[in-house]
Amino acid sequence: MSTIIELESTISKLAARGKGILAADESTPTITKRFQAVGIESSEETRRTYREILMTTPGCSQYIAGVILYEETLNQKTSQGIPFPEALKNTGILPGIKVDKGLVHLANSLDEQVTQGLDGLPERLTEYKSKGACFAKWRAVYSISDTTPSKLAIKTNAEVLARYAAICQEHGIVPIVEPEVLIDGDHTLARCEAVTEPVLHAVFNALYRHKVKLEYIVLKPSMVINGKTCPQKASIREVAEATIRVLKRTVPGAVPTINFLSGGQTSEQSTAHLNAMNQLGNLPWNLSFSYARALQDYCMKTWLGQAKNIAAAQTAFAKRAKLNSLAAQGKYTEAMEKEEVSHA
Ligand code: 5MM
């Protein structure tokens, strides 16, 4: 199959209206931190079991088009002995893979970071593809302070994101391009808007210079929102309007789908914001989700590492998946939070 046909086939499934992406690609230190917060031991087996709970939730393929895996999970099997990528494909869900190798200090910056992992990426993509991965993910982060993100951080991360995306497309792998403006800090919504616009502008400028075909990418941005400790909390509508304003100014209509990260918002906020954006209407792209915490929080807290809680944990995950699927179509209401979700 030619790479263009592969890219077309993958993006058409990822951009399906009303479906989103589950980010289950926490690195081992991150999932360990999340497990420890609720008293779950982190071992290769507990991580495998937990990810099997998510991926085998009955009915979730109605809402989830793809799952981003961490390398460990790509190489693991379900309790039936089926490799996870194959198990996902059997239910109509595409397996993806996190390919960045995390954050390192950006030299000559004030505590800013750049994402590493370009060395050896072509070889790793070939291996991941042979194991079933159809798409990839790379995350860059930008922190907001009075002096950051600096021009250096904006330009360097954009360049690296574009190089990653170009390499993926050469291998017939759809790249998720994830520039995350962090929610940490006391900045206002207006400051987040002022930062997010140049960040996205630089990313699309770099994608253009590296000849990345915008028709075959997924953009995974953060929403434009006030910092976590900002005393002025923006309303749902303000977040939706500011986010769409920035996206319309910076993201070409050739991009088929924008799938947000949740970035430390609660599950309910993430759903309500996505819904409000879709209700604004008149959008040139599909607008959906690629959440980790906002999809998983209730599931993990319900499971607690105990077999007797698995069914309830899957119900909790299916509920968030369904509500976000509705939000991706502008059909969610707050009242639905109280309803029981039948999903199978
Ligand atoms: C799953 O978490 C990903 C980061 O992993 P590491 O920091 O462990 O490498 C992250 O990229 C995630 O996919 C996105 O930030 C979306 O997650 P949230 O929780 O923000 O929705």
Side-chain angles (χ1 to χ4, degrees), residues 66-311:
V67 177
I68 314 169
L69 303 171
Y70 186 55
E71 192 172 6
E72 177 182 76
T73 322
L74 188 79
N75 292 315
Q76 286 176 322
K77 295 180 177 167
T78 65
S79 43
Q80 312 293 316
I82 306 168
F84 276 121
E86 194 183 322
L88 284 171
K89 282 188 179 172
N90 290 344
T91 59
I93 298 178
L94 295 181
I97 177 80
K98 180 226 286 296
V99 300
D100 67 66
K101 292 221 169 248
L103 308 169
V104 288
H105 170 67
L106 175 62
N108 291 330
S109 76
L110 278 178
D111 276 344
E112 293 188 282
Q113 294 172 304
V114 64
T115 310
Q116 61 181 351
L118 288 176
D119 287 351
L121 181 59
E123 294 76 18
R124 286 194 289 128
L125 285 176
T126 304
E127 182 202 330
Y128 297 149
K129 195 174 175 184
S130 74
K131 291 178 173 168
C134 308
F135 66 99
K137 192 203 87 174
W138 182 289
R139 170 174 172 256
V141 304
Y142 308 84
S143 55
I144 301 185
S145 71
D146 290 346
T147 53
T148 63
S150 64
K151 283 188 181 151
L152 177 67
I154 290 176
K155 198 166 176 194
T156 309
N157 275 302
E159 190 70 13
V160 176
L161 274 169
R163 286 186 62 198
Y164 138 80
I167 296 169
C168 286
Q169 288 189 342
E170 268 195 353
H171 285 75
I173 299 264
V174 167
I176 297 184
V177 174
E178 181 179 353
E180 176 173 5
V181 176
L182 297 171
I183 202 171
D184 307 322
D186 62 358
H187 52 270
T188 60
L189 175 92
R191 172 87 178 118
C192 183
E193 181 170 352
V195 163
T196 305
E197 186 171 335
V199 162
L200 290 176
H201 183 71
V203 168
F204 280 93
N205 185 281
L207 292 172
Y208 172 75
R209 281 187 285 103
H210 284 267
K211 303 183 171 46
V212 173
K213 296 169 195 70
L214 298 185
E215 291 78 3
Y216 310 120
I217 71 163
V218 174
L219 177 70
K220 176 168 172 169
S222 39
M223 296 179 196
V224 174
I225 190 166
N226 58 271
K228 236 181 174 153
T229 53
C230 175
Q232 299 141 263
K233 306 284 177 223
S235 68
I236 291 171
R237 195 171 174 93
E238 285 169 333
V239 169
E241 287 179 347
T243 305
I244 293 302
R245 194 160 49 236
V246 169
L247 291 174
K248 282 193 170 173
R249 285 177 183 168
T250 53
V251 184
V255 172
T257 185
I258 298 177
N259 292 57
F260 291 101
L261 58 91
S262 57
Q265 299 178 49
T266 66
S267 301
E268 292 81 358
Q269 282 169 339
S270 310
T271 310
H273 287 145
L274 176 62
N275 188 60
M277 285 186 257
N278 274 297
Q279 284 188 343
L280 291 175
N282 192 24
L283 305 172
W285 345 264
N286 184 53
L287 212 60
S288 187
F289 58 92
S290 174
Y291 300 152
R293 284 162 289 181
L295 278 171
Q296 296 184 43
D297 268 1
Y298 286 113
C299 175
M300 194 183 289
K301 286 176 185 152
T302 305
W303 175 50
L304 294 177
Q306 297 184 33
K308 66 176 168 50
N309 298 333
I310 288 177

